[in-house]
Amino acid sequence: MPPKKGKGKGQGKKKQKGPKLEPEELEAKRAAEREAARIALEQEQEARRKEKEAMEEMMKQEAERFETETQVLQEMLNENKNQLKEMREQVRSTKIWDRFLLCNGTPDPTVQSELNTFTSLSIDETKNSTSQDVSACLDDVEQALDLINELEEVMTLDKQLEISEGHDKFKEGIESLQGLIETKVDNVTFNVMKTAEKFADPDSLNLLIEKESPRVKFSLWGNLAKNPRQKSFKLGTDDFQMEIPKSLANADVAVRLIHTSFDFLSPKCKSFFAQKKKTPAPSRAASVAPQQNEDNKEEKPTTPAGEETAIENIDKVSENNDNLKEGQEKRPNTPSDADEIEDEDIVDLRAMSTVGGVMYLDLLKLPPQAKKVGNWVIQDITESELERIPNPTPEDEKEETEETKEGEENGGEAAITQLTKELTWPLLNMSFTVASNAVFTEEPQLARWEDSQQCWRTDGFEDVNFDETNGTISFKSQFIGPICTFQDTYNNMPFQSWEIRPYGQGCVIFTLIAASVELEISIKENACCLNSPEDMELDGIRNKWLPAHILMQKLVAAGINVFPSEDADKYVSISVKDEELESSVYEQMALASSAFAFSWSRWNADCGEKRQIVRAAENLTTHPVDEDMWKNYSCEPRKSYVLKCTDDDDEMFDEKVEGTQFHPDIFHCLKEGASSEAVDVLTNTSYTFVDNVSTWLFATKVLTFS
């Protein structure tokens, strides 16, 4: 067995450390380390300082760029505003001069003395007139309506120029002209009825006259034959048909029907105007208020009376474009000024709109007719004016029914029931055909005018039936007076989609897809044209170039209302948006609309009150934009940028497209990625074109009501 190895010398002891540094050396080493750390810190601080300075410089440049772009945009808007003002002043001066040179026998309605003289002399002449020429009377009515329209146009232009002087006198003039129209129509009616035999129908031997003018249809039926076997009569105006009860069959009565495309009654109702808000906010964009008129003359506004609100709201649109503010219109005196309508049968004119005009139905007392005795003609002339027969009260109806039954038992003679010296009658079967150019997207609501309450009411009708095929409304009613048809003002809101795209030089196509109609409108510098729908009775409107506010009025009068009013949020569920931001986006869209298309984005409704999201794409052709060309743009009060997400994404994510910049407005966002051709188009865009486009955007409020 080999011997064990022994441990070597020093084996098992720890290794010895290096030489121990002297204190001086150790201190020097520590000093070197501290110096290196100091230098590194200074270098890091210097790098941070330079980075901060670079960031501050970049932010400064960004702020300067933001400020420059903001000033550029504001200068463009101000320049357009000043040019519009100059143009309107020139138009106003030209109108005044042309009116001064006009020698057509009519007064200048803006000169109070001339208008007062004209109306006073006309009323005196009418009261002393024995004319039976209904056609000439309707011509006079058209002349008075033209004067009313002229006053409305002057007031519209004045409000755009912030001129309100004399407007109270203008409104008084309108009221006097309305009174003149009523006086003329009543006088010619009475003159005709005094010698009704001259106008007797050869078949029925009853009085029958039917005349019409562009804005008025006149029909008069008189019970001359007193034929007990005649159960009803029919007029050519609107195919109106009315039952003749026994109580009227032997009475000296006449029925007059006047169908007007204008509405003098609704403005008297307290709900015609928007209620004042307790916490008012500046309304940046108003709309075309319900308009009940329709004009066959292309160059004239439709409704003289209802026009007041329609034109007024169009004015607000223009005022918003110009950043102007107007006071609220003074309301007419009404029996009550409560904020809410308590009676459910009273029509709320903020929620409902008349369609197809107003039918003024009157039951009149037929004057004693002339009798020929030998060579003499004898006539009672004690009656000197038209006498309307009032509607019976429910108590009168009950007593009349009992007396009629008693008369039938005594021989069946149903003579005139004299209860408090008034005629009475039961429920009458009536029917008429709605206007051929009226669009009803739902069953129309029938209403009657209650003069004592100054409102439209829906009660007093029974068995109302609407035949959609031939447009006939049949009903039973004891009421004889003004009646009209209503439908929901907001039945087309909220909108499903919208798009506005360039269509050649100086023209855009505005497409609005509403709940029940799809509109396509061509917009140029000073005129607009309705292209579609083609499947509706809109021949008097479609394919005609008209000023924007007149086309809007005609659409509303035809039953197509896509113009939310200032209190529309009470009746339509919308996405609440900041009004100032919304107005700013409309202005910028109008500025860029000659070279860029804009469209509805699915993300706009849910992105918040202080933000708007709209799709846009450059388009210098007349073709629609390819779907993959659209980009979403985020607009905030002081920041706009291109969003990375599109409408095809499942969820919205708030990321800016790489390589793009933030801008203070969407207009410069669009210019950043625009071609040189698009920039040239934007530079040469007419201010009148921009104003016309913005008028439609403000009137429809597509960003809020889509």
Side-chain angles (χ1 to χ4, degrees):
M1 183 174 186
K4 294 182 179 179
K5 294 182 179 180
K7 294 182 180 180
K9 188 178 180 179
Q11 190 175 359
K13 294 182 178 179
K14 294 182 179 179
K15 294 183 179 179
Q16 296 180 354
K17 296 181 179 179
K20 187 176 181 181
L21 295 176
E22 295 297 331
E24 294 79 3
E25 296 176 346
L26 183 60
E27 183 64 27
K29 182 178 180 181
R30 290 176 178 173
E33 291 175 352
R34 287 196 298 269
E35 181 64 19
R38 184 186 65 77
I39 294 173
L41 179 61
E42 289 180 352
Q43 291 176 345
E44 182 180 356
Q45 291 177 342
E46 180 67 15
R48 289 181 179 177
R49 185 184 64 78
K50 291 181 178 180
E51 183 180 354
K52 182 180 179 181
E53 290 178 352
M55 181 63 67
E56 290 177 349
E57 181 64 24
M58 185 178 67
M59 292 179 64
K60 181 180 178 182
Q61 293 177 358
E62 189 81 355
E64 291 176 352
R65 181 173 62 82
F66 265 54
E67 186 65 27
T68 300
E69 291 179 352
T70 301
Q71 290 179 357
V72 169
L73 177 64
Q74 193 59 47
E75 287 174 0
M76 293 179 64
L77 294 174
N78 289 338
E79 183 180 1
N80 284 350
K81 175 183 175 181
N82 294 333
Q83 289 178 320
L84 278 172
K85 184 177 180 180
E86 291 177 4
M87 181 197 71
R88 289 165 179 165
E89 289 175 345
Q90 181 62 39
V91 169
R92 185 174 185 271
S93 300
T94 302
K95 283 183 176 292
I96 293 174
W97 180 247
D98 291 343
R99 195 59 178 84
F100 177 76
L101 296 178
L102 185 63
C103 299
N104 61 353
T106 61
D108 183 350
T110 61
V111 179
Q112 186 180 9
S113 58
E114 288 189 27
L115 186 61
N116 289 345
T117 301
F118 172 78
T119 53
S120 298
L121 292 177
S122 296
I123 290 176
D124 292 341
E125 180 183 354
T126 300
K127 289 181 178 179
N128 297 324
S129 173
T130 59
S131 172
Q132 298 176 326
D133 190 345
V134 177
S135 297
C137 174
L138 295 183
D139 290 340
D140 292 341
V141 170
E142 290 291 331
Q143 182 187 69
L145 294 176
D146 290 341
L147 293 175
I148 292 176
N149 287 344
E150 189 174 345
L151 281 173
E152 296 286 2
E153 290 176 352
V154 171
M155 293 170 65
T156 299
L157 192 56
D158 282 358
K159 288 179 180 179
Q160 293 174 347
L161 295 171
E162 300 182 90
I163 299 174
S164 59
E165 182 181 359
H167 284 198
D168 290 339
K169 298 297 183 182
F170 293 168
K171 292 174 184 177
E172 292 176 3
I174 290 174
E175 292 177 0
S176 66
L177 288 168
Q178 292 174 358
L180 175 61
I181 290 173
E182 183 178 359
T183 300
K184 283 184 173 293
V185 174
D186 284 352
N187 182 75
V188 74
T189 301
F190 183 68
N191 290 339
V192 167
M193 291 196 303
K194 285 193 295 186
T195 56
E197 290 90 348
K198 292 171 54 178
F199 305 94
D201 179 64
D203 296 328
S204 65
L205 301 181
N206 287 320
L207 167 64
L208 183 62
I209 290 182
E210 293 180 312
K211 301 290 183 180
E212 67 176 87
S213 65
R215 287 169 281 192
V216 181
K217 296 179 181 178
F218 179 97
S219 294
L220 181 63
W221 176 88
N223 187 23
L224 296 176
K226 296 184 177 63
N227 184 358
R229 291 191 294 268
Q230 186 174 0
K231 303 300 181 182
S232 64
F233 69 90
K234 186 175 182 179
L235 301 176
T237 299
D238 303 319
D239 295 327
F240 178 81
Q241 188 166 350
M242 176 177 162
E243 177 187 6
I244 303 176
K246 291 182 178 180
S247 57
L248 299 181
N250 292 327
D252 292 320
V253 295
V255 176
R256 183 180 66 179
L257 175 63
I258 300 176
H259 188 175
T260 65
S261 61
F262 51 86
D263 179 7
F264 288 161
L265 300 178
S266 292
K268 300 178 182 179
C269 184
K270 67 178 182 181
S271 65
F272 188 72
F273 298 93
Q275 299 288 342
K276 292 182 179 180
K277 297 181 180 180
K278 294 181 179 180
T279 55
S283 177
R284 301 287 302 183
S287 69
V288 180
Q291 179 67 19
Q292 297 83 19
N293 315 335
E294 179 183 23
D295 187 356
N296 294 329
K297 299 183 179 180
E298 294 183 14
E299 72 280 4
K300 294 185 179 294
T302 53
T303 304
E307 233 172 41
E308 182 171 347
T309 296
I311 293 178
E312 200 167 89
N313 285 317
I314 299 287
D315 295 341
K316 291 182 180 178
V317 172
S318 300
E319 291 165 15
N320 287 326
N321 297 341
D322 297 342
N323 295 324
L324 303 179
K325 294 183 179 179
E326 271 298 323
Q328 212 172 11
E329 184 67 21
K330 183 180 180 181
R331 299 184 204 161
N333 294 326
T334 55
S336 172
D337 197 27
D339 290 337
E340 300 295 335
I341 298 177
E342 297 178 358
D343 193 335
E344 294 181 355
D345 293 325
I346 295 179
V347 178
D348 181 6
L349 295 182
R350 305 305 305 166
M352 304 291 288
S353 300
T354 63
V355 179
V358 178
M359 299 172 62
Y360 295 82
L361 184 64
D362 292 301
L363 183 64
L364 308 173
K365 183 179 179 181
L366 196 64
Q369 299 300 300
K371 296 180 180 180
K372 189 172 183 180
V373 180
N375 294 328
W376 294 86
V377 176
I378 303 175
Q379 184 174 17
D380 186 353
I381 57 173
T382 56
E383 298 179 2
S384 59
E385 61 182 14
L386 197 68
E387 183 178 348
R388 291 175 172 82
I389 300 174
N391 288 300
T393 61
E395 291 77 12
D396 291 339
E397 177 187 0
K398 181 178 179 181
E399 295 182 36
E400 185 272 340
T401 303
E402 293 175 355
E403 186 166 331
T404 300
K405 290 180 179 179
E406 183 181 348
E408 290 175 350
E409 292 174 358
N410 294 333
E413 264 223 37
I416 301 175
T417 304
Q418 290 289 344
L419 298 173
T420 63
K421 297 183 179 181
E422 291 184 359
L423 285 174
T424 62
W425 53 87
L427 292 173
L428 304 178
N429 288 308
M430 304 184 208
S431 66
F432 65 90
T433 302
V434 298
S436 60
N437 58 351
V439 177
F440 289 96
T441 57
E442 57 189 22
E443 185 172 330
Q445 175 69 61
L446 201 61
R448 62 182 180 86
W449 179 256
E450 181 57 56
D451 194 59
S452 62
Q453 296 178 314
Q454 297 286 281
C455 67
W456 292 102
R457 298 186 62 90
T458 58
D459 57 347
F461 301 100
E462 295 183 12
D463 300 336
V464 179
N465 180 57
F466 176 59
D467 187 343
E468 189 175 356
T469 303
N470 52 27
T472 300
I473 297 179
S474 59
F475 58 95
K476 291 182 179 180
S477 179
Q478 194 181 23
F479 172 82
I480 296 180
I483 58 176
C484 66
T485 51
F486 285 85
Q487 73 174 352
D488 183 5
T489 299
Y490 301 106
N491 58 358
N492 276 307
M493 302 176 204
F495 310 130
Q496 298 179 10
S497 180
W498 61 271
E499 179 182 304
I500 185 167
R501 61 182 177 87
Y503 191 76
Q505 186 175 3
C507 181
V508 297
I509 298 292
F510 180 37
T511 304
L512 184 63
I513 301 177
S516 57
V517 66
E518 180 176 342
L519 297 178
E520 183 183 282
I521 300 168
S522 297
I523 305 174
K524 291 185 177 181
E525 286 191 19
N526 297 308
C528 311
C529 178
L530 178 67
N531 303 327
S532 66
E534 298 181 354
D535 57 344
M536 295 183 177
E537 297 293 338
L538 297 171
D539 294 337
I541 308 176
R542 190 171 41 243
N543 298 326
K544 293 185 178 180
W545 289 95
L546 301 167
H549 70 283
I550 293 181
L551 179 55
M552 291 178 185
Q553 290 174 9
K554 287 181 175 291
L555 286 173
V556 173
I560 302 177
N561 192 339
V562 291
F563 311 105
S565 59
E566 57 188 319
D567 57 350
D569 56 333
K570 295 180 181 178
Y571 310 97
V572 184
S573 177
I574 63 172
S575 302
V576 179
K577 296 290 184 178
D578 180 78
E579 294 181 348
E580 185 174 355
L581 173 62
E582 181 183 8
S583 299
S584 177
V585 174
Y586 289 148
E587 291 173 340
Q588 296 166 44
M589 288 170 58
L591 280 175
S593 60
S594 57
F596 288 86
F598 298 91
S599 178
W600 166 84
S601 173
R602 60 180 291 201
W603 306 120
N604 185 51
D606 302 322
C607 66
E609 181 178 352
K610 294 291 186 179
R611 191 181 190 187
Q612 297 278 6
I613 295 180
V614 60
R615 294 203 302 169
E618 181 179 322
N619 185 18
L620 300 179
T621 69
T622 58
H623 304 293
V625 179
D626 294 335
E627 192 61 30
D628 58 353
M629 296 296 293
W630 290 108
K631 295 179 182 178
N632 277 327
Y633 289 80
S634 174
C635 306
E636 299 174 27
R638 285 288 297 169
K639 182 176 67 175
S640 297
Y641 54 97
V642 188
L643 280 172
K644 194 173 183 179
C645 72
T646 67
D647 277 18
D648 296 329
D649 293 323
D650 296 331
E651 294 182 359
M652 177 185 169
F653 49 95
D654 192 5
E655 293 184 18
K656 181 173 68 71
V657 172
E658 297 178 0
T660 61
Q661 293 180 316
F662 290 105
H663 294 273
D665 51 70
I666 187 176
F667 181 76
H668 284 92
C669 265
L670 296 169
K671 288 189 68 175
E672 178 186 355
S675 64
S676 57
E677 293 83 357
V679 174
D680 291 340
V681 171
L682 294 179
T683 304
N684 298 319
T685 301
S686 167
Y687 66 93
T688 52
F689 171 80
V690 173
D691 177 66
N692 219 11
V693 173
S694 63
T695 296
W696 282 94
L697 294 175
F698 274 100
T700 54
K701 300 192 72 173
V702 289
L703 292 177
T704 301
F705 285 82
S706 298

